[in-house]
C-alpha cells in the first residue's frame, strides 16, 4: 500500500510520455482551444482511470483541433482535483497515424474530414487499408474509385487533411505568443493554410491589418522571434498606424507631424524589438504611406489616418449643406403656439426657453446646451409639440448615443427613441464587416431629428449619422458642453459650438423650486468652480483615509442596494480603470464577492474575471449582430457551462446569448469608469475621490459623475481631492479641425 502511494506521489511530480487514442471529446472551448477528452492507452495506471469511462483516462490540454480516433503521443503530468478525480495535464503532444483499420475508420468519420461519415470512411479503408492517409495526402484522386466520391468530394477530403496539417504547424509556431485558437484558425483561412506561416515570417505586421484583435505588440513579439530589425519598414509602418490609433482612443482625430514622429519613435523603442529607430526613417515611411494613400498629410502637416480625415471632411460638408438650406415655413405664429402650450400643459416657459423654441423656425440646425435642471427636456417636448402642430403628419426621430439615454428620452417625450446605431440600422456583413442600412442612398425617414447627449458623439459616428440625414431634415442637437468629451476621437459638440456657424442656445438658468435637489445646485456650483458645496440627505460626503475607501464604498453600495432593491439604480463611478484599490477592476472584485459571492451551487464561467449568475455586467464594445452597444448594462440570468453560453437580460429587457469566445466584450459593472457612465442616469451614484486619482481629477470629470445621479450622490474620500478637482478646469487639448472646416 505504501509503495502504491509513493508511486502515485512520484507520478504527480514527474513529467511522463503516453500514447493514447482519443475516444470522445467531452468539452471544448473554441476560443482558447482548451479541450477535455477521454482516451484509451496501454500505460494508463488503474488508479487514474475514469469511473465514467472504464479503461480510459481524461486528458486536458490545448489543441487546435482534436477528433475521436486520433492517436496522440502526449507529454505531461497526472493531476488530481479536489474531488479526487484524476486527469492528465498535457504540456506537449504530437499526432501519429491511427494504428488499426478500425481506429482509422473512427478517425476519418470524426468530423475532421468534410463529407466523410462512417459509411464512407469504411469504404475508403476497405479499399486502401492502412495506406489510406498516404493516399489522401499524396494521391487524393484515387479516392474517386470509391462509389459516391466525386473528384470534387475527393478534393474536399484532401483539403481537410491539408488544413488540419497546416493548422497544426501554425498552432505550434504561434503558441508562444498567446494568440487564441480562433484567431489562428482565422489566420489560416485568410492566408491560405500552407502559405500562412511563410507570410507571417515575411511580414508579421500584416496581421495588424488583416486579423481583427491582433495589434502591434503581438505582431512585434512575433517579429522579434524571427529576428526582424528595429528599423524594418514594415515595423515602422505598423508603429505609425498603432500610434495614430492609440492617440485616436485618447480623443485625437489627427497628430501634428512632429508629434506623430516623436510618438511613433516612443512606440517603436518601447516595443518588443530593442534598438534605436531614427526619426528620419519614420519621416520617410510617413511620406511613403501618404503617397500610397495609407495616410493623409495636410498642408499644415497634420497627419491623419484616412478614415478620420474622411469623417471630418464629410461631416463639415454635410453641415454646410444643412445650413445653406432655407428652413421650412411654419404655418402658425410662434408666440401663439408657445402660449397655447403653456395653457395646455399648465407651465410657464422662461424667456430663454421661449427663445430656444422660437429659434427652430429660423434654421435647419440648432444646438441646445445646458446642465441639469436648466429645462432641456421641457424644451425638447415643446419643440416636438409645435413642430407637429405646424407640420401634421411629419415624421420625428429621437435618438441618443446609449440605450439608457434613449430610454430616458422616450420616457420624457412619450415618443419612441433609439440609439443612434439602431437609428442607422447597423448590420454585420457575411465578411465580418459592418454596414449601415441607413446612408446617403437610403436616408433616415424623418423631417425632424433630435439627438440627446450629443457631447458623447465622436467624429466617426457623427459623420456616419450625417450621411443618412437628408438636406431637408431639421437637426436639433442637445447636450451638456461641460461634461466629458466623447470616449472616441474628436470633440464634436465643442467644435460645432466654437465654429460660430451654427445657432446655439446656452441654458444657464436653474429653475429653482423648493424641492430643487442639492445635486443640481452643486452641479451648477462645480461648473462655476465654487468649492463650497451644499450637503444633506441627497448629497453626502464621507471623509475617509485613502486605504479605507474601498471598504466604505462596499458598505455604502450594500446599504443603498438594500434600500432600493434595484441593482441597475446603484452605481459606483470611479476615475480609474486599473492601478489603484479604488479603480474599476479592484472595486468590481470586492463588490462581486460581497454582493454575489462564489457558490458551489452557482454556475460560473471565466474570461479575464469570473462571471456568475446575477452578476451586473457592461458591454464594452459594439456588437452589431446582437444589437448591443458599448455602455449597455445587463444582468446575467443563466450560465450553461457545458455549452459555454451566458444568457444576459439587458437594461432594455431584451435577452441576449453570449458564447464563451464573446465574453471578452463584457466586464463586471458594479463599478464603472466615469467615462463609461456618460449618457446614463442612476438613482444613487457612489464616487471615490482620492488624491491617488490626481492625474485624472478635473472639473468636468467630477461634474459628469455627480450629474449621473437622479436622487443621491455619495462622495467618499477627502475634500482636498474634491476641491482640487473642482478648481482644476484644465481640459486636455484634442487635435481636431472640424470647427475650422465648417
Amino acid at each position: 500500500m505504501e509503495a502504491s502511494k509513493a508511486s502515485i506521489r512520484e507520478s504527480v511530480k514527474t513529467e511522463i510520455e503516453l500514447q493514447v487514442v482519443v475516444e470522445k471529446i467531452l468539452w471544448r472551448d473554441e476560443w482558447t482551444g482548451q479541450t477535455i477528452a477521454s482516451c484509451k492507452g496501454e500505460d494508463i495506471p488503474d488508479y487514474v482511470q475514469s469511473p465514467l469511462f472504464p479503461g480510459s483516462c481524461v486528458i486536458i490540454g490545448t489543441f487546435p483541433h482534436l477528433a475521436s480516433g486520433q492517436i496522440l503521443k502526449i507529454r505531461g503530468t497526472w493531476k488530481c482535483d479536489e474531488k479526487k478525480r484524476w486527469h492528465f495535464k498535457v504540456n506537449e503532444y504530437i499526432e501519429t497515424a491511427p494504428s488499426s483499420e478500425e481506429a482509422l475508420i473512427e478517425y476519418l468519420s470524426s468530423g475532421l474530414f468534410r463529407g466523410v461519415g462512417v459509411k464512407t470512411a469504411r469504404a475508403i479503408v476497405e479499399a486502401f487499408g492502412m495506406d489510406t492517409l498516404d493516399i489522401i495526402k499524396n494521391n487524393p484522386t484515387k479516392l474517386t474509385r470509391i462509389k459516391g466520391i466525386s473528384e470534387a468530394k475527393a478534393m474536399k477530403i484532401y483539403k481537410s487533411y491539408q488544413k488540419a496539417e497546416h493548422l497544426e504547424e501554425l498552432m505550434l509556431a504561434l503558441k508562444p505568443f498567446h494568440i487564441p485558437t480562433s484567431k489562428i484558425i482565422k489566420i489560416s483561412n485568410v492566408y491560405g493554410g500552407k502559405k500562412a506561416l511563410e507570410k507571417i515570417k515575411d511580414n508579421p505586421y500584416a496581421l495588424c491589418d488583416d486579423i481583427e484583435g491582433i495589434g502591434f505588440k503581438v505582431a512585434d513579439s512575433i517579429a522579434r522571434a524571427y529576428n526582424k530589425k528595429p528599423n524594418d519598414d514594415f515595423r515602422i509602418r505598423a508603429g505609425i498606424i498603432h500610434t495614430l490609433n492609440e492617440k485616436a482612443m485618447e480623443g485625437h482625430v489627427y497628430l501634428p507631424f512632429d508629434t506623430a514622429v516623436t510618438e511613433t519613435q516612443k512606440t517603436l523603442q518601447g516595443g518588443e524589438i530593442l534598438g534605436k529607430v531614427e526619426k528620419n526613417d519614420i519621416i520617410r515611411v510617413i511620406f511613403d504611406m501618404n503617397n500610397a494613400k495609407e495616410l493623409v498629410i495636410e498642408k499644415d502637416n497634420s497627419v491623419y489616418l484616412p478614415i478620420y480625415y474622411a469623417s471630418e471632411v464629410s461631416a463639415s460638408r454635410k453641415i454646410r449643406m444643412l445650413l445653406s438650406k432655407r428652413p421650412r415655413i411654419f404655418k402658425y405664429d410662434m408666440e401663439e403656439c408657445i402660449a397655447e402650450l403653456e395653457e395646455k400643459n399648465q407651465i410657464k416657459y422662461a424667456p430663454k426657453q421661449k427663445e430656444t423654441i422660437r429659434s427652430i423656425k429660423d434654421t435647419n440646425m440648432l444646438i441646445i446646451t445646458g446642465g441639469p435642471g436648466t429645462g432641456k427636456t421641457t424644451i425638447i417636448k415643446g419643440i416636438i409639440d409645435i413642430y407637429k402642430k405646424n407640420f401634421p403628419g411629419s415624421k420625428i426621430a429621437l435618438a441618443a448615443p446609449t440605450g439608457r439615454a434613449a430610454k430616458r428620452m422616450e420616457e420624457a417625450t412619450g415618443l419612441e427613441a433609439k440609439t443612434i446605431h439602431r437609428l442607422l440600422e447597423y448590420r454585420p456583413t457575411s465578411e465580418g464587416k459592418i454596414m449601415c442600412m441607413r446612408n446617403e442612398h437610403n436616408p433616415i425617414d424623418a423631417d425632424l431629428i433630435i439627438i440627446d447627449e450629443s457631447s458623447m458623439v465622436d467624429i466617426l459616428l457623427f459623420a456616419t449619422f450625417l450621411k443618412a440625414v437628408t438636406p431637408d431634415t431639421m437637426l436639433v442637437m442637445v447636450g451638456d458642453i461641460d461634461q466629458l468629451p466623447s470616449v472616441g476621437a474628436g470633440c464634436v459638440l465643442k467644435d460645432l459650438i466654437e465654429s460660430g456657424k451654427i445657432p446655439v442656445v446656452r441654458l444657464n438658468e436653474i429653475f429653482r423650486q423648493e424641492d430643487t435637489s442639492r445635486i443640481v445646485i452643486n452641479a451648477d456650483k462645480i461648473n462655476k468652480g465654487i468649492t463650497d458645496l451644499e450637503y444633506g440627505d441627497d448629497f453626502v460626503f464621507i471623509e475617509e483615509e485613502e486605504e479605507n475607501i474601498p471598504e466604505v464604498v462596499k458598505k455604502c453600495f450594500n446599504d443603498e442596494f438594500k434600500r432600493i432593491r434595484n441593482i441597475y439604480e446603484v452605481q459606483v463611478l470611479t476615475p480609474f480603470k486599473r492601478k489603484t484599490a479604488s479603480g474599476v477592476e479592484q472595486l468590481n472584485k470586492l463588490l462581486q464577492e460581497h454582493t454575489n459571492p462564489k457558490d458551489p451551487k452557482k454556475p460560473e464561467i471565466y474570461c479575464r474575471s469570473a462571471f456568475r449568475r446575477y452578476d451586473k455586467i457592461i458591454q464594452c464594445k459594439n456588437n452589431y449582430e446582437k444589437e448591443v452597444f458599448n455602455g449597455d448594462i445587463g444582468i446575467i440570468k443563466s450560465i450553461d457551462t457545458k455549452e459555454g453560453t451566458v444568457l444576459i437580460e439587458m437594461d432594455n429587457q431584451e435577452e441576449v446569448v453570449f458564447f464563451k469566445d464573446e465574453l471578452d466584450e463584457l466586464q463586471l459593472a458594479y463599478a464603472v469608469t466615469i467615462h463609461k457612465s456618460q449618457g446614463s442616469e442612476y438613482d444613487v451614484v457612489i464616487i471615490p475621490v482620492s488624491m491617488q486619482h490626481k492625474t485624472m481629477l478635473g472639473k468636468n470629470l467630477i461634474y459628469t459623475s455627480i450629474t449621473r445621479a437622479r436622487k443621491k450622490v455619495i462622495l467618499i474620500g477627502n475634500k482636498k481631492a474634491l476641491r482640487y478637482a473642482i478648481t482644476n478646469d484644465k481640459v486636455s487639448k484634442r487635435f481636431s479641425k472640424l470647427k475650422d472646416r465648417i
Side-chain angles (χ1 to χ4, degrees), residues 114-283:
R114 290 183 65 186
V116 178
V118 175
K119 187 178 177 182
T120 303
R122 190 171 296 280
I124 294 171
V125 173
E126 284 176 358
F128 303 110
M130 297 305 295
D131 294 330
T132 293
L133 294 181
D134 186 61
I135 295 291
I136 292 172
K137 184 178 179 180
N138 299 309
N139 202 353
T141 55
K142 283 188 176 181
L143 295 174
T144 57
R145 299 176 187 176
I146 310 298
K147 187 178 179 182
I149 298 182
S150 63
E151 191 171 333
K153 189 170 181 177
M155 292 311 297
K156 278 185 181 179
I157 295 170
Y158 167 70
K159 286 178 180 177
S160 296
Y161 185 88
Q162 262 197 334
K163 185 179 178 182
E165 197 173 44
H166 298 318
L167 189 59
E168 191 75 36
E169 183 186 17
L170 194 61
M171 183 76 179
L172 290 170
L174 298 181
K175 187 179 178 182
F177 309 108
H178 308 291
I179 298 174
T181 302
S182 61
K183 291 280 190 291
I184 295 174
I185 293 169
K186 189 172 182 180
I187 292 168
S188 179
N189 292 336
V190 170
Y191 290 158
K194 186 178 181 181
K195 297 177 182 177
L197 201 53
E198 293 173 21
K199 289 188 177 183
I200 292 169
K201 287 178 180 178
D202 180 54
N203 177 19
Y205 302 100
L207 292 168
C208 304
D209 297 331
D210 301 331
I211 310 298
E212 187 182 356
I214 295 183
F216 174 78
K217 291 180 181 178
V218 173
D220 212 36
S221 62
I222 297 171
R224 185 182 66 177
Y226 293 121
N227 300 314
K228 298 294 182 182
K229 296 179 180 178
N231 60 348
D232 180 276
D233 277 9
F234 287 134
R235 182 172 189 256
I236 293 173
R237 176 188 175 276
I240 293 165
I241 293 172
H242 175 76
T243 299
L244 289 170
N245 276 319
E246 286 289 297
K247 292 300 175 183
M249 291 173 68
E250 294 175 17
H252 302 295
V253 182
Y254 71 92
L255 289 182
F257 192 94
D258 290 345
T259 306
V261 173
T262 303
E263 292 298 321
T264 299
Q265 190 179 41
K266 289 179 184 176
T267 297
L268 294 169
Q269 293 183 174
E272 295 289 325
I273 301 175
L274 300 178
K276 189 171 181 181
V277 181
E278 299 292 340
K279 285 188 177 181
N280 285 339
D281 286 331
I282 298 171
I283 291 168

Side-chain angles (χ1 to χ4, degrees), residues 417-482:
K418 300 178 179 179
T419 63
I420 298 173
H421 290 94
R422 288 192 174 96
L423 184 66
L424 293 172
E425 298 177 23
Y426 272 62
R427 296 286 186 274
T429 67
S430 56
E431 294 81 27
K433 297 181 179 179
I434 304 300
M435 67 179 295
C436 290
M437 304 306 292
R438 296 291 179 178
N439 48 46
E440 59 267 50
H441 307 298
N442 181 32
I444 299 164
D445 186 15
D447 303 292
L448 168 66
I449 301 176
I450 302 176
I451 303 294
D452 200 8
E453 297 287 354
S454 298
S455 62
M456 294 181 63
V457 179
D458 62 38
I459 188 63
L460 296 182
L461 181 59
F462 189 54
T464 305
F465 163 71
L466 285 179
K467 285 179 183 177
V469 177
T470 69
D472 298 320
T473 300
M474 181 177 182
L475 176 61
V476 178
M477 299 185 67
V478 185
D480 187 349
I481 191 61
D482 296 310

Side-chain angles (χ1 to χ4, degrees), residues 5 31 54 193 256 269 278 326 351 382 396 575 643 668 682 742:
K5 286 182 179 179
W31 173 252
Q269 293 183 174
E278 299 292 340
R326 182 177 294 179
I396 299 172
E643 295 293 327
L668 294 172
Y682 315 92
I742 296 173

Side-chain angles (χ1 to χ4, degrees), residues 372-388:
T374 55
K376 295 192 298 292
T377 300
T378 302
I379 290 169
I380 290 172
K381 289 163 71 176
I383 288 172
I384 292 170
D385 286 343
I386 287 177
Y387 198 90
K388 287 167 75 175

Side-chain angles (χ1 to χ4, degrees), residues 79 182 238 281 329 389 475 515 557 583 608 629 645 672 686:
K79 302 285 185 184
S182 61
D281 286 331
I329 299 172
K389 177 180 173 63
L475 176 61
D515 62 345
F557 184 93
R608 295 189 296 193
F629 302 101
T645 59
V672 300
I686 302 167

